[in-house]
Amino acid sequence: IIYKIIMNIYYSIKLKKYNDIGISIFVICIITELLWSIGTVNWGTAARHHYVVTPVLYSLYFSLKKYEK
C-alpha cells in the first residue's frame, strides 16, 4: 500500500494536480511509524501501534487513487 501511495503521489505531481494534504498526511504517517519502530523492542508492541496508522494509510490511498495510472 505504501508503494501504491508513493506512485499515486508521483503521478499527481507529474499531472500538476498536487494534493498537499494527502502528501502531508503520508509524510506524518511515515514519520510516526519510524518513531514507533525506534521505541519498540518486541513484535507485540509494534503490532499494537500499527493498528492506528493502517486505516489512515488506506483512506489516503483511496483519496489519491484518482491519480493512479
Side-chain angles (χ1 to χ4, degrees), residues 14-41:
K14 189 175 179 182
L15 294 173
K16 297 188 183 351
K17 295 183 179 183
Y18 302 127
N19 188 349
D20 293 334
I21 294 173
I23 294 170
S24 300
I25 291 172
F26 180 67
V27 170
I28 290 170
C29 286
I30 295 299
I31 290 171
T32 304
E33 287 292 324
L34 289 174
L35 290 174
W36 279 335
S37 68
I38 290 171
T40 57
V41 293

PDB file of all heavy atoms in Angstrom, residues 14-41:
ATOM      1  N   LYS A  14       3.267  14.678 -11.343  1.00  0.00           N
ATOM      2  CA  LYS A  14       3.520  14.683 -12.782  1.00  0.00           C
ATOM      3  C   LYS A  14       2.380  15.358 -13.545  1.00  0.00           C
ATOM      4  O   LYS A  14       2.616  16.055 -14.524  1.00  0.00           O
ATOM      5  CB  LYS A  14       3.699  13.239 -13.255  1.00  0.00           C
ATOM      6  CG  LYS A  14       4.176  13.098 -14.664  1.00  0.00           C
ATOM      7  CD  LYS A  14       4.432  11.628 -14.987  1.00  0.00           C
ATOM      8  CE  LYS A  14       4.885  11.466 -16.408  1.00  0.00           C
ATOM      9  NZ  LYS A  14       5.078  10.059 -16.740  1.00  0.00           N
ATOM     10  N   LEU A  15       1.135  15.166 -13.093  1.00  0.00           N
ATOM     11  CA  LEU A  15      -0.020  15.788 -13.732  1.00  0.00           C
ATOM     12  C   LEU A  15      -0.250  17.225 -13.259  1.00  0.00           C
ATOM     13  O   LEU A  15      -1.184  17.879 -13.701  1.00  0.00           O
ATOM     14  CB  LEU A  15      -1.282  14.965 -13.455  1.00  0.00           C
ATOM     15  CG  LEU A  15      -1.317  13.571 -14.061  1.00  0.00           C
ATOM     16  CD1 LEU A  15      -2.533  12.822 -13.555  1.00  0.00           C
ATOM     17  CD2 LEU A  15      -1.334  13.657 -15.579  1.00  0.00           C
ATOM     18  N   LYS A  16       0.608  17.684 -12.349  1.00  0.00           N
ATOM     19  CA  LYS A  16       0.500  19.020 -11.762  1.00  0.00           C
ATOM     20  C   LYS A  16      -0.831  19.241 -11.047  1.00  0.00           C
ATOM     21  O   LYS A  16      -1.413  20.318 -11.093  1.00  0.00           O
ATOM     22  CB  LYS A  16       0.737  20.089 -12.812  1.00  0.00           C
ATOM     23  CG  LYS A  16       2.133  20.043 -13.398  1.00  0.00           C
ATOM     24  CD  LYS A  16       2.380  21.215 -14.280  1.00  0.00           C
ATOM     25  CE  LYS A  16       3.708  21.249 -14.975  1.00  0.00           C
ATOM     26  NZ  LYS A  16       4.732  20.363 -14.689  1.00  0.00           N
ATOM     27  N   LYS A  17      -1.329  18.196 -10.423  1.00  0.00           N
ATOM     28  CA  LYS A  17      -2.529  18.279  -9.583  1.00  0.00           C
ATOM     29  C   LYS A  17      -2.123  17.870  -8.172  1.00  0.00           C
ATOM     30  O   LYS A  17      -2.344  16.752  -7.750  1.00  0.00           O
ATOM     31  CB  LYS A  17      -3.623  17.366 -10.114  1.00  0.00           C
ATOM     32  CG  LYS A  17      -4.129  17.775 -11.463  1.00  0.00           C
ATOM     33  CD  LYS A  17      -5.264  16.896 -11.911  1.00  0.00           C
ATOM     34  CE  LYS A  17      -5.758  17.342 -13.266  1.00  0.00           C
ATOM     35  NZ  LYS A  17      -6.908  16.577 -13.711  1.00  0.00           N
ATOM     36  N   TYR A  18      -1.493  18.787  -7.474  1.00  0.00           N
ATOM     37  CA  TYR A  18      -0.958  18.481  -6.161  1.00  0.00           C
ATOM     38  C   TYR A  18      -2.065  18.268  -5.147  1.00  0.00           C
ATOM     39  O   TYR A  18      -3.076  18.953  -5.153  1.00  0.00           O
ATOM     40  CB  TYR A  18      -0.059  19.610  -5.670  1.00  0.00           C
ATOM     41  CG  TYR A  18       1.080  19.911  -6.583  1.00  0.00           C
ATOM     42  CD1 TYR A  18       1.296  21.198  -7.017  1.00  0.00           C
ATOM     43  CD2 TYR A  18       1.935  18.913  -7.021  1.00  0.00           C
ATOM     44  CE1 TYR A  18       2.346  21.493  -7.859  1.00  0.00           C
ATOM     45  CE2 TYR A  18       2.978  19.199  -7.867  1.00  0.00           C
ATOM     46  CZ  TYR A  18       3.186  20.496  -8.284  1.00  0.00           C
ATOM     47  OH  TYR A  18       4.223  20.782  -9.121  1.00  0.00           O
ATOM     48  N   ASN A  19      -1.838  17.329  -4.279  1.00  0.00           N
ATOM     49  CA  ASN A  19      -2.717  17.078  -3.155  1.00  0.00           C
ATOM     50  C   ASN A  19      -1.866  17.265  -1.904  1.00  0.00           C
ATOM     51  O   ASN A  19      -1.341  16.317  -1.339  1.00  0.00           O
ATOM     52  CB  ASN A  19      -3.294  15.663  -3.240  1.00  0.00           C
ATOM     53  CG  ASN A  19      -4.346  15.415  -2.204  1.00  0.00           C
ATOM     54  OD1 ASN A  19      -4.519  16.208  -1.288  1.00  0.00           O
ATOM     55  ND2 ASN A  19      -5.050  14.324  -2.349  1.00  0.00           N
ATOM     56  N   ASP A  20      -1.703  18.525  -1.510  1.00  0.00           N
ATOM     57  CA  ASP A  20      -0.798  18.837  -0.406  1.00  0.00           C
ATOM     58  C   ASP A  20      -1.215  18.186   0.900  1.00  0.00           C
ATOM     59  O   ASP A  20      -0.373  17.759   1.679  1.00  0.00           O
ATOM     60  CB  ASP A  20      -0.699  20.348  -0.218  1.00  0.00           C
ATOM     61  CG  ASP A  20      -0.022  21.035  -1.391  1.00  0.00           C
ATOM     62  OD1 ASP A  20       0.770  20.362  -2.071  1.00  0.00           O
ATOM     63  OD2 ASP A  20      -0.296  22.223  -1.621  1.00  0.00           O
ATOM     64  N   ILE A  21      -2.512  18.092   1.144  1.00  0.00           N
ATOM     65  CA  ILE A  21      -2.968  17.482   2.384  1.00  0.00           C
ATOM     66  C   ILE A  21      -2.639  15.992   2.387  1.00  0.00           C
ATOM     67  O   ILE A  21      -2.174  15.450   3.384  1.00  0.00           O
ATOM     68  CB  ILE A  21      -4.480  17.714   2.577  1.00  0.00           C
ATOM     69  CG1 ILE A  21      -4.739  19.200   2.791  1.00  0.00           C
ATOM     70  CG2 ILE A  21      -5.015  16.897   3.736  1.00  0.00           C
ATOM     71  CD1 ILE A  21      -6.182  19.578   2.830  1.00  0.00           C
ATOM     72  N   GLY A  22      -2.856  15.321   1.258  1.00  0.00           N
ATOM     73  CA  GLY A  22      -2.538  13.897   1.164  1.00  0.00           C
ATOM     74  C   GLY A  22      -1.056  13.624   1.339  1.00  0.00           C
ATOM     75  O   GLY A  22      -0.662  12.687   2.036  1.00  0.00           O
ATOM     76  N   ILE A  23      -0.233  14.447   0.715  1.00  0.00           N
ATOM     77  CA  ILE A  23       1.217  14.283   0.855  1.00  0.00           C
ATOM     78  C   ILE A  23       1.636  14.535   2.291  1.00  0.00           C
ATOM     79  O   ILE A  23       2.453  13.800   2.850  1.00  0.00           O
ATOM     80  CB  ILE A  23       1.958  15.209  -0.131  1.00  0.00           C
ATOM     81  CG1 ILE A  23       1.668  14.778  -1.577  1.00  0.00           C
ATOM     82  CG2 ILE A  23       3.449  15.201   0.134  1.00  0.00           C
ATOM     83  CD1 ILE A  23       2.145  15.748  -2.634  1.00  0.00           C
ATOM     84  N   SER A  24       1.071  15.553   2.925  1.00  0.00           N
ATOM     85  CA  SER A  24       1.410  15.857   4.315  1.00  0.00           C
ATOM     86  C   SER A  24       0.998  14.721   5.252  1.00  0.00           C
ATOM     87  O   SER A  24       1.766  14.347   6.141  1.00  0.00           O
ATOM     88  CB  SER A  24       0.713  17.146   4.758  1.00  0.00           C
ATOM     89  OG  SER A  24       1.112  18.217   3.960  1.00  0.00           O
ATOM     90  N   ILE A  25      -0.187  14.171   5.050  1.00  0.00           N
ATOM     91  CA  ILE A  25      -0.642  13.061   5.891  1.00  0.00           C
ATOM     92  C   ILE A  25       0.270  11.856   5.704  1.00  0.00           C
ATOM     93  O   ILE A  25       0.619  11.173   6.676  1.00  0.00           O
ATOM     94  CB  ILE A  25      -2.104  12.708   5.571  1.00  0.00           C
ATOM     95  CG1 ILE A  25      -3.023  13.832   6.044  1.00  0.00           C
ATOM     96  CG2 ILE A  25      -2.510  11.388   6.221  1.00  0.00           C
ATOM     97  CD1 ILE A  25      -4.452  13.675   5.615  1.00  0.00           C
ATOM     98  N   PHE A  26       0.681  11.579   4.462  1.00  0.00           N
ATOM     99  CA  PHE A  26       1.567  10.445   4.213  1.00  0.00           C
ATOM    100  C   PHE A  26       2.911  10.631   4.915  1.00  0.00           C
ATOM    101  O   PHE A  26       3.420   9.707   5.552  1.00  0.00           O
ATOM    102  CB  PHE A  26       1.775  10.259   2.711  1.00  0.00           C
ATOM    103  CG  PHE A  26       2.675   9.114   2.370  1.00  0.00           C
ATOM    104  CD1 PHE A  26       2.288   7.814   2.632  1.00  0.00           C
ATOM    105  CD2 PHE A  26       3.909   9.338   1.795  1.00  0.00           C
ATOM    106  CE1 PHE A  26       3.117   6.752   2.321  1.00  0.00           C
ATOM    107  CE2 PHE A  26       4.742   8.295   1.488  1.00  0.00           C
ATOM    108  CZ  PHE A  26       4.345   6.997   1.749  1.00  0.00           C
ATOM    109  N   VAL A  27       3.476  11.822   4.837  1.00  0.00           N
ATOM    110  CA  VAL A  27       4.758  12.088   5.497  1.00  0.00           C
ATOM    111  C   VAL A  27       4.622  11.959   7.007  1.00  0.00           C
ATOM    112  O   VAL A  27       5.490  11.369   7.678  1.00  0.00           O
ATOM    113  CB  VAL A  27       5.290  13.479   5.094  1.00  0.00           C
ATOM    114  CG1 VAL A  27       6.480  13.895   5.934  1.00  0.00           C
ATOM    115  CG2 VAL A  27       5.674  13.495   3.614  1.00  0.00           C
ATOM    116  N   ILE A  28       3.535  12.457   7.562  1.00  0.00           N
ATOM    117  CA  ILE A  28       3.309  12.334   9.007  1.00  0.00           C
ATOM    118  C   ILE A  28       3.174  10.868   9.415  1.00  0.00           C
ATOM    119  O   ILE A  28       3.721  10.453  10.447  1.00  0.00           O
ATOM    120  CB  ILE A  28       2.074  13.150   9.432  1.00  0.00           C
ATOM    121  CG1 ILE A  28       2.384  14.642   9.331  1.00  0.00           C
ATOM    122  CG2 ILE A  28       1.624  12.790  10.836  1.00  0.00           C
ATOM    123  CD1 ILE A  28       1.185  15.539   9.492  1.00  0.00           C
ATOM    124  N   CYS A  29       2.479  10.066   8.601  1.00  0.00           N
ATOM    125  CA  CYS A  29       2.344   8.629   8.903  1.00  0.00           C
ATOM    126  C   CYS A  29       3.691   7.930   8.880  1.00  0.00           C
ATOM    127  O   CYS A  29       3.988   7.109   9.751  1.00  0.00           O
ATOM    128  CB  CYS A  29       1.396   7.967   7.915  1.00  0.00           C
ATOM    129  SG  CYS A  29      -0.326   8.343   8.179  1.00  0.00           S
ATOM    130  N   ILE A  30       4.507   8.233   7.884  1.00  0.00           N
ATOM    131  CA  ILE A  30       5.831   7.602   7.799  1.00  0.00           C
ATOM    132  C   ILE A  30       6.703   8.016   8.975  1.00  0.00           C
ATOM    133  O   ILE A  30       7.383   7.170   9.584  1.00  0.00           O
ATOM    134  CB  ILE A  30       6.507   7.953   6.453  1.00  0.00           C
ATOM    135  CG1 ILE A  30       5.730   7.355   5.291  1.00  0.00           C
ATOM    136  CG2 ILE A  30       7.959   7.512   6.429  1.00  0.00           C
ATOM    137  CD1 ILE A  30       5.642   5.838   5.311  1.00  0.00           C
ATOM    138  N   ILE A  31       6.687   9.283   9.341  1.00  0.00           N
ATOM    139  CA  ILE A  31       7.480   9.739  10.486  1.00  0.00           C
ATOM    140  C   ILE A  31       6.989   9.080  11.771  1.00  0.00           C
ATOM    141  O   ILE A  31       7.795   8.644  12.605  1.00  0.00           O
ATOM    142  CB  ILE A  31       7.431  11.276  10.590  1.00  0.00           C
ATOM    143  CG1 ILE A  31       8.224  11.890   9.437  1.00  0.00           C
ATOM    144  CG2 ILE A  31       7.977  11.757  11.921  1.00  0.00           C
ATOM    145  CD1 ILE A  31       8.077  13.385   9.310  1.00  0.00           C
ATOM    146  N   THR A  32       5.671   8.971  11.933  1.00  0.00           N
ATOM    147  CA  THR A  32       5.109   8.322  13.118  1.00  0.00           C
ATOM    148  C   THR A  32       5.531   6.862  13.187  1.00  0.00           C
ATOM    149  O   THR A  32       5.915   6.365  14.261  1.00  0.00           O
ATOM    150  CB  THR A  32       3.571   8.428  13.097  1.00  0.00           C
ATOM    151  OG1 THR A  32       3.211   9.798  12.993  1.00  0.00           O
ATOM    152  CG2 THR A  32       2.964   7.827  14.338  1.00  0.00           C
ATOM    153  N   GLU A  33       5.474   6.167  12.065  1.00  0.00           N
ATOM    154  CA  GLU A  33       5.896   4.761  12.034  1.00  0.00           C
ATOM    155  C   GLU A  33       7.380   4.624  12.377  1.00  0.00           C
ATOM    156  O   GLU A  33       7.776   3.700  13.094  1.00  0.00           O
ATOM    157  CB  GLU A  33       5.633   4.151  10.661  1.00  0.00           C
ATOM    158  CG  GLU A  33       4.178   3.887  10.384  1.00  0.00           C
ATOM    159  CD  GLU A  33       3.615   2.784  11.248  1.00  0.00           C
ATOM    160  OE1 GLU A  33       4.328   1.809  11.541  1.00  0.00           O
ATOM    161  OE2 GLU A  33       2.449   2.899  11.635  1.00  0.00           O
ATOM    162  N   LEU A  34       8.196   5.516  11.874  1.00  0.00           N
ATOM    163  CA  LEU A  34       9.632   5.455  12.183  1.00  0.00           C
ATOM    164  C   LEU A  34       9.884   5.683  13.670  1.00  0.00           C
ATOM    165  O   LEU A  34      10.705   4.991  14.281  1.00  0.00           O
ATOM    166  CB  LEU A  34      10.400   6.472  11.345  1.00  0.00           C
ATOM    167  CG  LEU A  34      10.515   6.155   9.863  1.00  0.00           C
ATOM    168  CD1 LEU A  34      11.159   7.313   9.119  1.00  0.00           C
ATOM    169  CD2 LEU A  34      11.309   4.880   9.639  1.00  0.00           C
ATOM    170  N   LEU A  35       9.188   6.642  14.250  1.00  0.00           N
ATOM    171  CA  LEU A  35       9.364   6.894  15.681  1.00  0.00           C
ATOM    172  C   LEU A  35       8.886   5.718  16.522  1.00  0.00           C
ATOM    173  O   LEU A  35       9.526   5.358  17.514  1.00  0.00           O
ATOM    174  CB  LEU A  35       8.621   8.172  16.084  1.00  0.00           C
ATOM    175  CG  LEU A  35       9.230   9.466  15.560  1.00  0.00           C
ATOM    176  CD1 LEU A  35       8.342  10.644  15.905  1.00  0.00           C
ATOM    177  CD2 LEU A  35      10.627   9.666  16.112  1.00  0.00           C
ATOM    178  N   TRP A  36       7.747   5.103  16.144  1.00  0.00           N
ATOM    179  CA  TRP A  36       7.266   3.944  16.894  1.00  0.00           C
ATOM    180  C   TRP A  36       8.204   2.752  16.723  1.00  0.00           C
ATOM    181  O   TRP A  36       8.374   1.959  17.637  1.00  0.00           O
ATOM    182  CB  TRP A  36       5.870   3.555  16.452  1.00  0.00           C
ATOM    183  CG  TRP A  36       4.801   4.394  17.080  1.00  0.00           C
ATOM    184  CD1 TRP A  36       4.881   5.069  18.260  1.00  0.00           C
ATOM    185  CD2 TRP A  36       3.510   4.636  16.564  1.00  0.00           C
ATOM    186  NE1 TRP A  36       3.715   5.723  18.501  1.00  0.00           N
ATOM    187  CE2 TRP A  36       2.846   5.476  17.479  1.00  0.00           C
ATOM    188  CE3 TRP A  36       2.830   4.231  15.430  1.00  0.00           C
ATOM    189  CZ2 TRP A  36       1.551   5.904  17.291  1.00  0.00           C
ATOM    190  CZ3 TRP A  36       1.533   4.668  15.245  1.00  0.00           C
ATOM    191  CH2 TRP A  36       0.917   5.488  16.157  1.00  0.00           C
ATOM    192  N   SER A  37       8.812   2.605  15.560  1.00  0.00           N
ATOM    193  CA  SER A  37       9.718   1.469  15.365  1.00  0.00           C
ATOM    194  C   SER A  37      10.994   1.621  16.180  1.00  0.00           C
ATOM    195  O   SER A  37      11.597   0.627  16.579  1.00  0.00           O
ATOM    196  CB  SER A  37      10.052   1.312  13.884  1.00  0.00           C
ATOM    197  OG  SER A  37      10.842   2.392  13.431  1.00  0.00           O
ATOM    198  N   ILE A  38      11.394   2.845  16.434  1.00  0.00           N
ATOM    199  CA  ILE A  38      12.579   3.064  17.274  1.00  0.00           C
ATOM    200  C   ILE A  38      12.269   2.709  18.728  1.00  0.00           C
ATOM    201  O   ILE A  38      13.099   2.138  19.424  1.00  0.00           O
ATOM    202  CB  ILE A  38      13.043   4.527  17.171  1.00  0.00           C
ATOM    203  CG1 ILE A  38      13.618   4.790  15.784  1.00  0.00           C
ATOM    204  CG2 ILE A  38      14.094   4.854  18.226  1.00  0.00           C
ATOM    205  CD1 ILE A  38      13.898   6.250  15.496  1.00  0.00           C
ATOM    206  N   GLY A  39      11.050   3.020  19.176  1.00  0.00           N
ATOM    207  CA  GLY A  39      10.706   2.842  20.579  1.00  0.00           C
ATOM    208  C   GLY A  39      10.216   1.468  20.960  1.00  0.00           C
ATOM    209  O   GLY A  39      10.012   1.192  22.136  1.00  0.00           O
ATOM    210  N   THR A  40      10.015   0.566  20.005  1.00  0.00           N
ATOM    211  CA  THR A  40       9.503  -0.763  20.344  1.00  0.00           C
ATOM    212  C   THR A  40      10.591  -1.812  20.187  1.00  0.00           C
ATOM    213  O   THR A  40      11.435  -1.715  19.313  1.00  0.00           O
ATOM    214  CB  THR A  40       8.317  -1.137  19.440  1.00  0.00           C
ATOM    215  OG1 THR A  40       8.735  -1.068  18.085  1.00  0.00           O
ATOM    216  CG2 THR A  40       7.160  -0.197  19.652  1.00  0.00           C
ATOM    217  N   VAL A  41      10.531  -2.801  21.065  1.00  0.00           N
ATOM    218  CA  VAL A  41      11.557  -3.842  21.022  1.00  0.00           C
ATOM    219  C   VAL A  41      10.991  -5.227  20.734  1.00  0.00           C
ATOM    220  O   VAL A  41      11.744  -6.143  20.454  1.00  0.00           O
ATOM    221  CB  VAL A  41      12.368  -3.893  22.344  1.00  0.00           C
ATOM    222  CG1 VAL A  41      13.182  -2.645  22.507  1.00  0.00           C
ATOM    223  CG2 VAL A  41      11.458  -4.098  23.538  1.00  0.00           C
TER     224      VAL A  41
END
